[in-house]
Amino acid sequence: MPGKRRPRAAAPMAAEDELLLLQRQALAEEEADKTKREMLTRFLNDKLAKEKRSSTLNLHKLNAQWRAVLRDTKDKELRQDMEILSQTFERVMDCKDSVIESLATDLEEAEEQHAQALRSHLHNVDRLLQLQRCRLTCLEEGYDAQLEALKTEFEAERYKEAEGQRWHPLAVL
C-alpha cells in the first residue's frame, strides 16, 4: 500500500503543484501584461515625444513661412509707400523750385525798379542842384548888382561930399 499512498500524496502535491504552476503562470502572464503595458506606455510616450518634436518643428516652419509672407507683404507695402513719398517729394520740390524761380523773377524786377527809382531820384537831385545853382547865381548877381549900386551910390555920395566940402565955406578953414 505504500504505492497507494504515494498517489494519494502525489495527488495533493500535484494539485498544489498545479496551483503553484497556475499561480506562476498567472504571475508570468501578469508580468508579461505589465511588460507589454510598460512597452506600450514607452512606445506611446516615445510616439508622443516624437509628435511634440514634430509639431514644434512644424510650428517653427509654419511661423518661418508666415513671417516670410509677412515680410514680403510689408516689403511691397514699404516700396509702395516709398514710391508715393518719392512722387510727393518730387511734386513738393517742383512746387518749391517754381516758387524760387518766381521769387528770383520778382527780385530781378524789384532790383530793376530800384535802379530806375534811383536813377529818377539822382536825376531829380541833379535838377534840384541845378535849380539851386541857378538861384544862387541869380542871388549872387542880385547881390553883385546891389553891391555895385551901393558902391555907386556910396561913391556918388562921397563924391558929392568931397565936392561939397570943397565948396563949403567952412571947409576951407
Side-chain angles (χ1 to χ4, degrees):
M1 305 232 174
K4 285 186 179 179
R5 281 189 185 175
R6 278 190 192 170
R8 281 186 195 165
M13 278 267 210
E16 279 183 24
D17 284 340
E18 236 181 271
L19 186 62
L20 280 175
L21 182 63
L22 286 175
Q23 284 178 349
R24 281 186 198 147
Q25 284 178 352
L27 279 173
E29 283 179 23
E30 273 184 44
E31 281 186 33
D33 283 344
K34 186 177 177 184
T35 307
K36 272 187 190 179
R37 273 185 273 143
E38 286 176 0
M39 281 178 54
L40 184 61
T41 303
R42 264 185 277 151
F43 174 74
L44 290 176
N45 282 338
D46 287 345
K47 191 170 183 175
L48 180 64
K50 282 181 186 178
E51 281 297 318
K52 281 184 179 178
R53 282 192 301 269
S54 193
S55 137
T56 303
L57 180 65
N58 287 338
L59 184 62
H60 286 300
K61 286 180 183 178
L62 184 63
N63 283 336
Q65 289 175 350
W66 179 246
R67 286 182 185 140
V69 168
L70 288 176
R71 273 194 298 270
D72 288 343
T73 305
K74 191 66 171 180
D75 180 48
K76 288 176 186 174
E77 287 176 5
L78 289 175
R79 288 184 189 277
Q80 192 176 26
D81 288 349
M82 192 171 71
E83 184 65 29
I84 291 169
L85 288 174
S86 176
Q87 291 172 357
T88 303
F89 177 75
E90 288 298 322
R91 279 196 305 269
V92 168
M93 286 301 295
D94 289 342
C95 181
K96 288 186 178 186
D97 285 344
S98 68
V99 168
I100 289 171
E101 288 175 10
S102 172
L103 290 174
T105 304
D106 291 348
L107 181 63
E108 287 175 6
E109 290 174 2
E111 285 176 348
E112 187 177 314
Q113 288 176 358
H114 176 263
Q116 185 177 1
L118 181 63
R119 284 192 301 270
S120 174
H121 174 69
L122 291 175
H123 178 70
N124 288 337
V125 168
D126 287 342
R127 282 181 49 209
L128 282 174
L129 284 173
Q130 185 181 9
L131 183 64
Q132 286 296 80
R133 285 188 189 119
C134 284
R135 286 181 64 205
L136 186 60
T137 305
C138 288
L139 288 174
E140 282 179 355
E141 287 175 0
Y143 172 76
D144 288 342
Q146 285 180 359
L147 183 64
E148 279 302 313
L150 283 174
K151 279 183 183 178
T152 308
E153 189 179 321
F154 178 73
E155 287 297 321
E157 283 182 17
R158 197 165 152 196
Y159 179 74
K160 277 185 188 177
E161 233 179 71
E163 290 219 0
Q165 282 182 0
R166 274 192 218 168
W167 299 99
H168 193 271
L170 294 177
V172 178
L173 295 174

